[in-house]
Amino acid sequence: MLVFLMLSKPRNSIRTRSPPTPPPAWGDEPNLNEELDFFVKGNISLEKSARKKPHPWIPDQGWEDLVKFGEVCNSLGDVPGMVERDGAKWKAWAEEDDPESRPVPGGLEDKMGDFQKLCLLKCFRVDRVYRGVTNYVTSQMGEKYVTPPVVTFE
């Protein structure tokens, strides 16, 4: 029945609809798949990046992920370079008890979407990604999607 209704509509009415806009939390639309791929996999290259880790407090894999993040989210500028130049600010942010709830250094807070912030969090604090994902889902979909159901045995 639904197929019949769709086929009976004039084609112009189907084509004139504007495509849905991406959620504001995502970055640039062409990078959606790349950002999601980065979040799931990180930097899986077997080769080390040409850029050397500038600060000892950054985890080795975190630096490799950060370099990859800079390539994927190039609209934000040279994020690894920002970390190299302002290491003290980035260290303070990364060592916060809840960096996922704090503004990102380097003036990036206004430039990046929530999902990009989640990807950046993964580079510095893998242990806080679970809480970051919870915050992301809550802000995008609502509290009901992260609240466990109440089960009563009566």
Side-chain angles (χ1 to χ4, degrees):
M1 183 71 163
L2 181 61
V3 174
F4 174 74
L5 290 173
M6 289 181 69
L7 292 175
S8 65
K9 283 188 169 187
R11 289 185 182 252
N12 292 344
S13 66
I14 295 173
R15 289 188 184 148
T16 57
R17 283 184 168 183
S18 60
T21 57
W26 290 86
D28 297 330
E29 190 173 349
N31 289 340
L32 292 178
N33 289 335
E34 289 181 65
E35 289 175 10
L36 183 59
D37 191 53
F38 170 79
F39 181 72
V40 171
K41 299 176 187 175
N43 185 356
I44 56 172
S45 174
L46 296 176
E47 297 177 17
K48 297 285 183 190
S49 66
R51 294 177 92 159
K52 299 295 181 200
K53 185 172 78 164
H55 307 290
W57 55 268
I58 302 173
D60 292 338
Q61 185 59 46
W63 177 250
E64 297 298 324
D65 287 346
L66 187 62
V67 171
K68 179 71 172 178
F69 176 78
E71 295 169 9
V72 171
C73 300
N74 57 8
S75 63
L76 298 173
D78 182 23
V79 178
M82 292 177 196
V83 174
E84 287 176 29
R85 288 186 298 277
D86 296 327
K89 290 179 184 177
W90 285 91
K91 181 179 181 183
W93 176 76
E95 291 181 348
E96 289 280 351
D97 289 337
D98 57 345
E100 70 279 356
S101 302
R102 307 287 182 183
V104 178
L108 291 175
E109 188 70 26
D110 298 332
K111 295 179 184 177
M112 64 180 12
D114 293 334
F115 192 75
Q116 290 174 330
K117 185 175 179 180
L118 194 56
C119 290
L120 187 62
L121 178 67
K122 179 183 176 178
C123 298
F124 291 97
R125 294 284 303 271
V126 176
D127 61 311
R128 300 300 299 175
V129 169
Y130 177 81
R131 185 65 192 151
V133 168
T134 302
N135 291 349
Y136 177 78
V137 171
T138 301
S139 71
Q140 297 301 305
M141 299 173 64
E143 186 75 30
K144 70 179 183 176
Y145 292 98
V146 295
T147 305
V150 177
V151 178
T152 58
F153 298 103
E154 292 181 2

